[in-house]
Amino acid sequence: MSKKSKRVKQSGRTTHSSPINQQRHNTMASVAPSQLHEALMQRVEYARQQMHMGDFAACIRTCEALLNTLPRRSEIRLEILSLSGLAHGMLKHYQQSYDVFSEAIALDPTIAELWHNRGLACSCMSRIAEAVRNFEHAVELAKNDTGELAHRFALQLEASRQELQDAMQAHEAGI
């Protein structure tokens, strides 16, 4: 058998298909969806571990690679966006954190934590009024929750409202 690549006719044009490309295609075709899902879940778990270990830059890289392969509407995508937004926030990349949480909110605006975390990014960028609105959404979504997060959201809202009031009083003449 010749070591030359085979010529394959596709859609009216001739292309070269090497044995390596054919083998790669056959291997990918033989991978079961459950195996792909398992590999994906291992990468998600790896991103979680990176976040918990404090390796935020590596977590962002892992999340970005996953986001390039995940469908636009999936629960896993929401989790990866959340991890990425938190990691950006920890690295003080507040605009990126804001952008990532905005994408997550566009996918599911019913998750209080997403609104709260975007509010934190706004707060760090001195967007006080927008932070207040985000915290208000978080509190509204968590109104039936009596847990620690709901309490934290309420405290953050109170503090940001006070910060906004102080800023308005300081600039009263200019407003």
Side-chain angles (χ1 to χ4, degrees):
M1 187 154 198
S2 164
K3 290 187 180 182
K4 293 181 182 177
S5 65
K6 296 179 185 177
R7 290 181 161 245
V8 179
K9 184 119 175 162
Q10 292 179 345
S11 64
R13 66 177 216 253
T14 303
T15 60
H16 293 282
S17 178
S18 71
I20 293 172
N21 286 341
Q22 287 176 347
Q23 181 182 6
R24 188 177 302 145
H25 175 72
N26 292 340
T27 302
M28 291 303 288
S30 67
V31 173
S34 62
Q35 290 172 318
L36 288 174
H37 181 74
E38 181 62 32
L40 176 65
M41 294 313 295
Q42 287 175 354
R43 297 296 298 169
V44 171
E45 181 57 34
Y46 185 56
R48 284 187 204 122
Q49 290 172 359
Q50 290 172 315
M51 185 68 184
H52 290 296
M53 291 185 314
D55 193 353
F56 306 123
C59 179
I60 291 168
R61 285 191 301 274
T62 301
C63 289
E64 286 174 353
L66 284 165
L67 289 171
N68 289 331
T69 61
L70 289 170
R72 287 276 177 218
R73 299 226 175 251
S74 72
E75 276 188 40
I76 296 172
R77 186 176 188 82
L78 277 173
E79 181 179 357
I80 294 302
L81 286 169
S82 185
L83 285 170
S84 179
L86 290 171
H88 276 296
M90 295 302 290
L91 291 174
K92 299 182 181 182
H93 304 158
Y94 301 123
Q95 183 62 53
Q96 291 91 331
S97 180
Y98 175 88
D99 293 341
V100 170
F101 283 119
S102 293
E103 181 180 345
I105 288 169
L107 292 175
D108 189 349
T110 65
I111 301 174
E113 292 87 351
L114 299 175
W115 288 96
H116 176 259
N117 289 329
R118 188 170 78 169
L120 291 174
C122 289
S123 222
C124 291
M125 293 186 295
S126 298
R127 297 179 185 172
I128 304 167
E130 188 175 357
V132 168
R133 287 191 302 272
N134 280 274
F135 295 139
E136 287 172 342
H137 278 327
V139 168
E140 178 63 27
L141 289 169
K143 69 181 173 190
N144 297 327
D145 188 357
T146 59
E148 181 185 335
L149 273 180
H151 181 68
R152 191 179 322 160
F153 296 165
L155 290 175
Q156 189 71 51
L157 175 58
E158 187 179 318
S160 65
R161 281 181 174 163
Q162 184 61 51
E163 184 180 358
L164 180 59
Q165 187 175 358
D166 292 346
M168 290 174 66
Q169 286 177 349
H171 294 84
E172 192 173 76
I175 291 181

